[in-house]
Protein backbone atom coordinates (compact mmCIF):
# COMPACT_ATOMS: atom_id res chain seq x y z
CA UNK A 1 0.00 0.00 0.00
CA UNK A 2 1.41 3.37 -1.04
CA UNK A 3 1.72 6.12 1.55
CA UNK A 4 1.35 9.75 0.62
CA UNK A 5 4.22 12.13 1.14
CA UNK A 6 2.81 14.40 3.82
CA UNK A 7 5.10 17.26 2.82
CA UNK A 8 3.46 17.56 -0.59
CA UNK A 9 0.06 18.03 1.06
CA UNK A 10 1.21 20.95 3.21
CA UNK A 11 0.12 24.47 2.32
CA UNK A 12 2.74 27.16 1.79
CA UNK A 13 1.84 28.61 5.18
CA UNK A 14 2.27 25.20 6.81
CA UNK A 15 5.65 24.81 5.12
CA UNK A 16 6.81 28.19 6.39
CA UNK A 17 5.77 27.26 9.91
CA UNK A 18 7.50 23.88 9.61
CA UNK A 19 10.74 25.49 8.43
CA UNK A 20 10.65 28.09 11.19
CA UNK A 21 10.09 25.37 13.78
CA UNK A 22 13.22 23.47 12.74
CA UNK A 23 16.34 24.41 14.71
CA UNK A 24 18.84 26.50 12.76
CA UNK A 25 22.37 25.12 12.36
CA UNK A 26 24.96 26.97 14.45
CA UNK A 27 26.77 29.84 12.73
CA UNK A 28 30.41 28.93 12.46
CA UNK A 29 32.99 31.40 13.67
CA UNK A 30 36.24 31.84 11.75
CA UNK A 31 38.06 29.90 14.48
CA UNK A 32 35.74 26.90 14.00
CA UNK A 33 36.10 27.10 10.23
CA UNK A 34 39.87 26.58 9.95
CA UNK A 35 40.44 30.30 10.27
CA UNK A 36 38.15 31.17 7.36
CA UNK A 37 35.36 33.74 7.78
CA UNK A 38 31.76 32.54 7.46
CA UNK A 39 29.98 33.39 4.21
CA UNK A 40 27.68 36.38 4.52
CA UNK A 41 23.97 35.68 4.08
CA UNK A 42 22.52 39.20 4.34
CA UNK A 43 23.16 42.52 2.61
CA UNK A 44 24.70 44.06 5.75
CA UNK A 45 28.37 43.19 6.30
CA UNK A 46 30.15 44.41 9.41
CA UNK A 47 33.73 43.42 10.19
CA UNK A 48 35.44 44.29 13.50
CA UNK A 49 38.90 44.04 11.93
CA UNK A 50 40.54 44.33 8.53
CA UNK A 51 42.07 40.86 8.14
CA UNK A 52 41.53 37.26 9.25
CA UNK A 53 43.55 34.08 9.69
CA UNK A 54 47.18 33.67 10.68
CA UNK A 55 48.70 35.60 7.76
CA UNK A 56 47.96 39.30 7.11
CA UNK A 57 46.06 40.23 3.97
CA UNK A 58 46.94 43.69 2.75
CA UNK A 59 48.34 46.33 5.08
CA UNK A 60 45.95 47.60 7.76
CA UNK A 61 48.08 50.76 8.07
CA UNK A 62 47.42 51.62 4.41
CA UNK A 63 45.02 54.53 3.84
CA UNK A 64 41.69 53.08 2.72
CA UNK A 65 42.76 49.42 3.02
CA UNK A 66 40.09 46.94 1.87
CA UNK A 67 38.66 44.51 4.46
CA UNK A 68 39.92 41.05 3.51
CA UNK A 69 36.54 39.56 4.47
CA UNK A 70 34.93 41.27 1.46
CA UNK A 71 37.39 39.71 -0.98
CA UNK A 72 36.98 36.31 0.67
CA UNK A 73 33.20 36.38 0.33
CA UNK A 74 33.29 37.44 -3.33
CA UNK A 75 35.99 34.94 -4.28
CA UNK A 76 34.27 32.07 -2.48
CA UNK A 77 30.83 32.78 -3.94
CA UNK A 78 31.69 33.69 -7.50
CA UNK A 79 34.89 31.84 -8.45
CA UNK A 80 36.40 28.36 -8.47
CA UNK A 81 40.00 27.28 -7.74
CA UNK A 82 42.39 28.39 -10.53
CA UNK A 83 39.95 31.06 -11.77
CA UNK A 84 41.56 34.42 -12.58
CA UNK A 85 40.77 37.39 -10.33
CA UNK A 86 41.89 40.92 -11.27
CA UNK A 87 42.11 44.00 -9.06
CA UNK A 88 42.96 47.08 -11.19
CA UNK A 89 43.32 49.35 -8.12
CA UNK A 90 45.03 46.91 -5.81
CA UNK A 91 46.22 49.33 -3.10
CA UNK A 92 48.17 47.36 -0.50
CA UNK A 93 47.44 44.00 -2.13
CA UNK A 94 44.57 42.60 -0.06
CA UNK A 95 43.04 40.92 -3.12
CA UNK A 96 46.35 39.29 -4.02
CA UNK A 97 46.89 37.89 -0.53
CA UNK A 98 43.36 36.49 -0.21
CA UNK A 99 43.35 34.92 -3.68
CA UNK A 100 46.70 33.23 -3.22
CA UNK A 101 45.50 31.67 0.03
CA UNK A 102 42.25 30.53 -1.62
CA UNK A 103 43.94 28.95 -4.65
CA UNK A 104 42.88 31.54 -7.24
CA UNK A 105 45.05 33.05 -9.93
CA UNK A 106 45.31 36.77 -9.35
CA UNK A 107 46.70 39.92 -10.98
CA UNK A 108 46.85 43.24 -9.16
CA UNK A 109 47.54 46.61 -10.79
CA UNK A 110 47.99 50.07 -9.31
CA UNK A 111 49.45 53.43 -10.33
CA UNK A 112 51.48 53.44 -7.10
CA UNK A 113 52.12 49.84 -6.00
CA UNK A 114 52.38 49.17 -2.25
CA UNK A 115 52.84 45.40 -2.55
CA UNK A 116 55.72 43.50 -4.21
CA UNK A 117 53.38 41.57 -6.54
CA UNK A 118 51.36 44.56 -7.77
CA UNK A 119 52.11 45.63 -11.34
CA UNK A 120 52.26 49.36 -12.01
CA UNK A 121 49.47 50.20 -14.43
CA UNK A 122 46.54 52.55 -15.01
CA UNK A 123 43.14 50.91 -14.40
CA UNK A 124 41.75 52.72 -17.45
CA UNK A 125 43.94 50.61 -19.72
CA UNK A 126 44.27 47.03 -18.45
CA UNK A 127 46.77 44.92 -20.46
CA UNK A 128 44.65 41.77 -20.64
CA UNK A 129 42.69 40.03 -23.39
CA UNK A 130 38.96 40.50 -23.85
CA UNK A 131 36.78 38.12 -21.81
CA UNK A 132 39.71 36.46 -20.04
CA UNK A 133 38.88 37.16 -16.38
CA UNK A 134 36.54 35.38 -13.93
CA UNK A 135 36.15 38.11 -11.29
CA UNK A 136 37.06 41.79 -11.05
CA UNK A 137 37.23 43.61 -7.72
CA UNK A 138 37.64 47.38 -7.45
CA UNK A 139 38.03 49.52 -4.35
CA UNK A 140 38.34 52.90 -6.02
CA UNK A 141 38.90 56.41 -4.63
CA UNK A 142 35.75 58.10 -3.35
CA UNK A 143 37.01 61.57 -4.24
CA UNK A 144 40.05 63.71 -3.43
CA UNK A 145 39.61 63.81 0.37
CA UNK A 146 42.30 61.13 0.83
CA UNK A 147 45.82 61.30 -0.60
CA UNK A 148 46.07 57.96 -2.40
CA UNK A 149 49.04 58.80 -4.57
CA UNK A 150 51.25 61.59 -5.90
CA UNK A 151 50.93 60.18 -9.42
CA UNK A 152 49.58 62.87 -11.79
CA UNK A 153 47.10 60.42 -13.37
CA UNK A 154 45.55 59.32 -10.05
CA UNK A 155 41.75 59.51 -10.19
CA UNK A 156 41.85 60.16 -6.45
CA UNK A 157 43.20 63.62 -7.23
CA UNK A 158 39.86 64.64 -8.78
CA UNK A 159 37.01 65.93 -6.62
CA UNK A 160 33.90 63.76 -6.58
CA UNK A 161 31.94 67.03 -6.94
CA UNK A 162 33.41 67.23 -10.45
CA UNK A 163 31.72 65.15 -13.19
CA UNK A 164 35.17 64.37 -14.57
CA UNK A 165 35.67 62.07 -11.57
CA UNK A 166 32.79 59.86 -12.77
CA UNK A 167 33.94 60.01 -16.39
CA UNK A 168 37.29 58.54 -15.30
CA UNK A 169 35.68 55.84 -13.15
CA UNK A 170 33.45 54.94 -16.09
CA UNK A 171 36.59 54.30 -18.15
CA UNK A 172 37.67 51.82 -15.47
CA UNK A 173 34.22 50.19 -15.61
CA UNK A 174 34.46 49.82 -19.40
CA UNK A 175 37.81 48.06 -19.04
CA UNK A 176 36.40 45.77 -16.35
CA UNK A 177 33.50 44.94 -18.66
CA UNK A 178 35.87 44.22 -21.54
CA UNK A 179 38.11 41.76 -19.68
CA UNK A 180 35.30 39.93 -17.83
CA UNK A 181 33.90 36.74 -19.28
CA UNK A 182 30.15 36.85 -20.02
CA UNK A 183 28.12 35.93 -16.96
CA UNK A 184 30.98 36.72 -14.58
CA UNK A 185 30.90 39.17 -11.68
CA UNK A 186 32.52 42.45 -10.65
CA UNK A 187 32.50 43.82 -7.10
CA UNK A 188 32.97 47.59 -6.68
CA UNK A 189 33.42 49.19 -3.25
CA UNK A 190 32.63 52.91 -2.96
CA UNK A 191 31.55 55.47 -0.36
CA UNK A 192 29.73 58.81 -0.30
CA UNK A 193 31.21 62.16 0.73
CA UNK A 194 30.15 64.87 3.16
CA UNK A 195 32.57 67.80 3.21
CA UNK A 196 32.00 71.40 4.31
CA UNK A 197 28.23 70.98 4.65
CA UNK A 198 27.98 69.49 1.18
CA UNK A 199 26.79 65.90 0.61
CA UNK A 200 27.79 64.12 -2.60
CA UNK A 201 26.02 60.79 -3.37
CA UNK A 202 29.12 59.22 -4.91
CA UNK A 203 27.67 55.71 -4.72
CA UNK A 204 24.45 56.60 -6.55
CA UNK A 205 26.31 58.53 -9.24
CA UNK A 206 28.73 55.65 -9.85
CA UNK A 207 25.93 53.06 -9.80
CA UNK A 208 24.12 54.95 -12.55
CA UNK A 209 27.22 54.62 -14.74
CA UNK A 210 27.81 50.94 -13.92
CA UNK A 211 24.20 50.14 -14.81
CA UNK A 212 24.89 51.17 -18.38
CA UNK A 213 27.05 48.08 -18.82
CA UNK A 214 26.31 45.56 -16.07
CA UNK A 215 23.33 43.77 -14.56
CA UNK A 216 22.89 44.14 -10.81
CA UNK A 217 23.36 41.00 -8.72
CA UNK A 218 22.90 42.85 -5.41
CA UNK A 219 23.95 45.89 -3.38
CA UNK A 220 25.70 45.31 -0.05
CA UNK A 221 26.04 47.76 2.82
CA UNK A 222 29.55 47.61 4.35
CA UNK A 223 29.83 49.10 7.85
CA UNK A 224 32.76 51.53 8.04
CA UNK A 225 35.23 50.86 10.83
CA UNK A 226 38.72 51.97 11.73
CA UNK A 227 38.48 55.39 10.11
CA UNK A 228 39.88 58.58 11.60
CA UNK A 229 36.42 60.15 12.07
CA UNK A 230 35.26 57.35 14.40
CA UNK A 231 36.46 59.15 17.53
CA UNK A 232 34.71 60.86 20.41
CA UNK A 233 35.72 64.28 19.08
CA UNK A 234 34.10 63.69 15.69
CA UNK A 235 30.94 62.26 17.24
CA UNK A 236 30.76 65.38 19.41
CA UNK A 237 31.15 67.60 16.35
CA UNK A 238 28.48 65.64 14.44
CA UNK A 239 25.97 66.33 17.23
CA UNK A 240 26.99 69.94 17.83
CA UNK A 241 26.99 70.99 14.17
CA UNK A 242 24.14 68.69 13.11
CA UNK A 243 25.74 66.47 10.46
CA UNK A 244 26.31 62.74 9.97
CA UNK A 245 29.56 60.82 9.87
CA UNK A 246 29.87 58.28 7.07
CA UNK A 247 28.75 54.96 8.57
CA UNK A 248 28.79 52.66 5.54
CA UNK A 249 30.07 52.01 2.04
CA UNK A 250 28.36 50.39 -0.92
CA UNK A 251 29.51 47.13 -2.43
CA UNK A 252 27.96 46.91 -5.89
CA UNK A 253 27.94 43.31 -7.12
CA UNK A 254 27.42 43.52 -10.88
CA UNK A 255 27.35 40.89 -13.60
CA UNK A 256 28.41 41.10 -17.23
CA UNK A 257 25.36 39.91 -19.21
CA UNK A 258 25.61 36.33 -20.44
CA UNK A 259 24.93 36.27 -24.17
CA UNK A 260 23.95 32.60 -24.03
CA UNK A 261 20.99 33.26 -21.74
CA UNK A 262 17.83 33.72 -23.86
CA UNK A 263 15.64 36.67 -22.98
CA UNK A 264 12.00 35.96 -22.19
CA UNK A 265 9.53 37.60 -24.53
CA UNK A 266 6.26 38.67 -22.95
CA UNK A 267 3.50 38.68 -25.58
CA UNK A 268 1.25 40.74 -23.29
CA UNK A 269 3.56 43.74 -23.48
CA UNK A 270 4.34 43.67 -27.20
Amino acid sequence: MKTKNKTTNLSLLDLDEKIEAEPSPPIKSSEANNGKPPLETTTLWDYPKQSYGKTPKGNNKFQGVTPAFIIYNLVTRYTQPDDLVVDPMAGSGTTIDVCKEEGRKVIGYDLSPHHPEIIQNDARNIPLLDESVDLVFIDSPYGDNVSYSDHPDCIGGISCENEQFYHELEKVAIEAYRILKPGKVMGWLIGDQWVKKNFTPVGFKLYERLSRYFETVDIICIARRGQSSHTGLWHYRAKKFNFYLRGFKYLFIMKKPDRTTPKVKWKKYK
Side-chain angles (χ1 to χ4, degrees), residues 129-180:
L129 296 175
D130 296 357
E131 301 184 353
S132 59
V133 175
D134 298 288
L135 174 73
V136 173
F137 175 76
I138 300 172
D139 184 355
S140 68
Y142 314 156
D144 63 347
N145 56 319
V146 171
S147 179
Y148 293 96
S149 165
D150 294 330
H151 197 288
D153 295 328
C154 180
I155 297 175
I158 307 171
S159 170
C160 64
E161 298 175 36
N162 185 337
E163 281 302 306
Q164 187 62 35
F165 176 76
Y166 305 97
H167 293 327
E168 299 307 316
L169 289 185
E170 185 172 358
K171 293 176 184 177
V172 178
I174 291 170
E175 276 294 88
Y177 180 90
R178 179 185 65 79
I179 65 174
L180 264 180

Side-chain angles (χ1 to χ4, degrees), residues 1-6:
M1 180 178 178
K2 294 183 179 180
T3 59
K4 291 184 179 180
N5 186 335
K6 294 182 179 179

Side-chain angles (χ1 to χ4, degrees), residues 4 19 21 36 53-54 62 73 89 103 106 110 113 131 137 140 143 182 191-192 204 235 255:
K4 291 184 179 180
I19 291 171
K36 307 294 184 185
K54 296 180 180 179
F62 181 76
N73 270 269
M89 295 181 166
V106 60
D110 204 282
E131 301 184 353
F137 175 76
S140 68
D192 294 325
F204 288 177
H235 285 289
K255 183 175 74 171

Side-chain angles (χ1 to χ4, degrees), residues 28-181:
K28 293 182 179 180
S29 67
S30 59
E31 289 76 14
N33 194 27
N34 295 321
K36 307 294 184 185
L39 278 182
E40 296 289 349
T41 54
T42 76
T43 55
L44 174 60
W45 299 3
D46 185 5
Y47 305 117
K49 55 184 181 178
Q50 183 270 329
S51 192
Y52 65 87
K54 296 180 180 179
T55 58
K57 287 130 182 105
N59 180 358
N60 60 14
K61 304 298 182 185
F62 181 76
Q63 183 75 270
V65 63
T66 305
F69 298 84
I70 296 175
I71 311 297
Y72 175 83
N73 270 269
L74 293 174
V75 164
T76 304
R77 277 189 176 271
Y78 300 111
T79 68
Q80 299 295 325
D82 290 328
D83 278 358
L84 176 59
V85 178
V86 170
D87 187 338
M89 295 181 166
S92 67
T94 305
T95 302
I96 291 175
D97 295 335
V98 172
C99 287
K100 289 179 66 178
E101 188 169 294
E102 300 307 320
R104 271 62 170 178
K105 298 174 183 174
V106 60
I107 302 175
Y109 300 107
D110 204 282
L111 275 175
S112 299
H114 288 83
H115 186 287
E117 295 183 49
I118 294 178
I119 302 167
Q120 186 172 28
N121 186 72
D122 193 319
R124 290 161 287 195
N125 186 18
I126 302 173
L128 294 173
L129 296 175
D130 296 357
E131 301 184 353
S132 59
V133 175
D134 298 288
L135 174 73
V136 173
F137 175 76
I138 300 172
D139 184 355
S140 68
Y142 314 156
D144 63 347
N145 56 319
V146 171
S147 179
Y148 293 96
S149 165
D150 294 330
H151 197 288
D153 295 328
C154 180
I155 297 175
I158 307 171
S159 170
C160 64
E161 298 175 36
N162 185 337
E163 281 302 306
Q164 187 62 35
F165 176 76
Y166 305 97
H167 293 327
E168 299 307 316
L169 289 185
E170 185 172 358
K171 293 176 184 177
V172 178
I174 291 170
E175 276 294 88
Y177 180 90
R178 179 185 65 79
I179 65 174
L180 264 180
K181 297 174 183 177

Side-chain angles (χ1 to χ4, degrees), residues 5-22:
N5 186 335
K6 294 182 179 179
T7 304
T8 59
N9 295 328
L10 291 174
S11 69
L12 290 178
L13 181 60
D14 291 334
L15 269 176
D16 287 342
E17 291 177 349
K18 184 175 184 294
I19 291 171
E20 289 178 2
E22 293 178 354

